[in-house]
Amino acid sequence: NAGVTQTPKFRILKIGQSMTLQCAQDMNHNYMYWYRQDPGMGLKLIYYSVGAGITDKGEVPNGYNVSRSTTEDFPLRLELAAPSQTSVYFCASKGLAYYNEQFFGPGTRLTVL
Amino acid sequence: DAKTTQPNSMESNEEEPVHLPCNHSTISGTDYIHWYRQLPSQGPEYVIHGLTSNVNNRMASLAIAEDRKSSTLILHRATLRDAAVYYCILRDVESGGGADGLTFGKGTHLIIQP
């Protein structure tokens, strides 16, 4: 199993550009998550999904959009990138049971200039 | 989720035990105590979790106070590879059916000296 994979690893955007961060998992997990981590801080939840076609906002959703058309994929879309979105983005997935652990991807480091 | 308090940083020597404390005085009866760690330049990884009883796995042990208002993550013999940020997180099993994301604080930065 590859687990949770994320692409790209690094990206530099100009203000106002858009991009999609890709996330895929091969563990057949229902739950998937997007977090962002600013320097020296803990992770903050952006969006999450409990299954294909179902998404919900987390703590910091503004400036982002998500979709979940398949169990495996959970892309995060940034529209009109701003310097405040400079961060490291982590995708995670989890099985159905409440005690199941979350598995995290390696992250995407995004810089908006 | 209830709040947790952890020291900002701790330092230990290689091959010695490490005790990482976490205070959670407002914990509810349905809160599980989870520990995750984040190695440098990596995503977080699960370490251990428990509810009331002490727990052991291949990575660590979790000691939970009798009143559940505090817990301690124990690394029995720290190695340089254990240098990471350790997060203590409470998860209410009745909240969102377990689908909710994790609420991360700043965690404890563990430094291991050779």
Side-chain angles (χ1 to χ4, degrees):
Chain A
N1 282 355
V4 179
T5 57
Q6 292 184 238
T7 56
K9 286 188 169 57
F10 304 94
R11 184 72 186 267
I12 298 175
L13 281 182
K14 293 183 179 177
I15 294 172
Q17 286 186 320
S18 300
M19 76 164 294
T20 299
L21 282 66
Q22 302 291 345
C23 173
Q25 53 94 8
D26 61 0
M27 297 172 281
N28 202 32
H29 285 165
N30 284 68
Y31 301 151
M32 294 189 74
Y33 309 85
W34 274 105
Y35 296 87
R36 60 175 285 173
Q37 185 175 32
D38 298 329
M41 306 295 288
L43 283 70
K44 292 187 177 180
L45 183 66
I46 306 171
Y47 270 96
Y48 68 100
S49 169
V50 300
I54 307 169
T55 63
D56 208 347
K57 295 178 181 178
E59 183 183 354
V60 290
N62 290 346
Y64 307 95
N65 281 301
V66 293
S67 59
R68 184 101 180 266
S69 56
T70 67
T71 298
E72 294 78 20
D73 300 298
F74 190 39
L76 177 72
R77 179 81 177 162
L78 277 74
E79 304 281 2
L80 298 174
S84 60
Q85 293 178 305
T86 294
S87 191
V88 181
Y89 292 83
F90 291 101
C91 179
S93 72
K94 179 175 117 39
L96 273 177
Y98 62 84
Y99 52 77
N100 283 157
E101 65 190 270
Q102 287 193 19
F103 291 86
F104 286 81
T108 294
R109 184 175 295 274
L110 176 68
T111 302
V112 182
L113 300 174
Chain B
D1 291 322
K3 185 177 167 59
T4 63
T5 303
Q6 299 177 253
N8 288 335
S9 66
M10 290 184 64
E11 200 167 311
S12 182
N13 295 319
E14 200 177 7
E15 299 187 5
E16 290 185 357
V18 179
H19 292 237
L20 295 163
C22 181
N23 287 319
H24 28 78
S25 58
T26 59
I27 191 170
S28 74
T30 52
D31 279 326
Y32 272 73
I33 303 160
H34 290 248
W35 284 82
Y36 281 73
R37 73 179 185 180
Q38 187 173 20
L39 302 173
S41 299
Q42 294 189 28
E45 64 175 351
Y46 167 83
V47 177
I48 201 167
H49 78 275
L51 182 62
T52 56
S53 304
N54 294 344
V55 184
N56 300 299
N57 66 20
R58 63 174 181 81
M59 287 181 72
S61 296
L62 177 59
I64 301 172
E66 197 168 331
D67 63 5
R68 300 187 70 235
K69 293 185 176 182
S70 65
S71 60
T72 302
L73 179 71
I74 302 165
L75 307 179
H76 294 285
R77 197 161 166 265
T79 69
L80 294 177
R81 290 173 55 187
D82 291 319
V85 179
Y86 287 78
Y87 298 98
C88 171
I89 299 169
L90 301 184
R91 296 207 66 229
D92 185 349
V93 299
E94 293 186 348
S95 173
D100 293 0
L102 298 171
T103 300
F104 288 82
K106 291 187 178 181
T108 296
H109 184 200
L110 177 63
I111 300 164
I112 305 295
Q113 297 288 355

